[in-house]
Amino acid sequence: MPLMTIKDLEEVQANLSAAGHDYQLELEEGKIIIMGPSDIVSSEISAEFLRLLGNWVKPRRLGRLFDSAGGFIMPDTNLKAPDVSFVQASRLLQSPRYFGELVPDLVVEIKSQSDRIKTLEKKIQRFIELGAKVGILIDPDAETLTVYRSTGEPTELNNDDVLTIPELFPGWELPILELWPPIFTEAESESTI
């Protein structure tokens, strides 16, 4: 079977869309990978991470944040879409109406119910090898967050810790405990009606 290209992926995506299917696709080593929807816990964590970081990034005009639909063409010709990504303003003055043709400065992967940790670790390590400054793996099951940098071993954080990324977001802090979806009581849900 011949290796697929970005053009082939775009054609498959267009055909799927025309048929009423909205799948996210990635290209890895010439193979198209279909990304299924996330479970809602992973989706909620992604939205919260984007909100909390976006509240810091946007007023300071530090750069651009992207969700899992934002695709990046890597130097190795793969097309990847991290769950959350960030590109510094100096590296992307204006977003193109196409895939980003650069490696994001920050990539975040959030483990879905069906994901394998080792696969996500490899994906983040590859981003770091290609030039990402920071990679983050969030595991909702273990309630941990692991930070990867090109300058050392991964660091695991838990609910007692605070995430900082001074090389990209000086002064920004995120208590890990704030990432996890809240559990509401019946009294809370009734009082909002």
Side-chain angles (χ1 to χ4, degrees), residues 63-64 66 70-82 84-93 96 99-109 122-136 148 150 168:
R64 301 178 187 284
F66 303 94
F72 293 88
I73 299 172
M74 302 284 97
D76 61 7
T77 70
N78 289 332
L79 175 69
K80 293 295 183 179
V84 174
S85 53
F86 167 81
V87 178
Q88 292 176 302
S90 62
R91 296 187 58 231
L92 190 60
L93 299 177
F99 303 117
E101 297 187 49
L102 71 161
V103 179
D105 295 296
L106 168 72
V107 296
V108 180
E109 289 292 333
K122 281 177 56 178
K123 186 175 180 181
I124 290 173
Q125 290 287 12
R126 185 65 182 146
F127 273 112
I128 297 291
E129 290 167 10
L130 291 171
K133 292 182 179 177
V134 179
I136 295 174
Y148 298 79
S150 59
L168 295 174

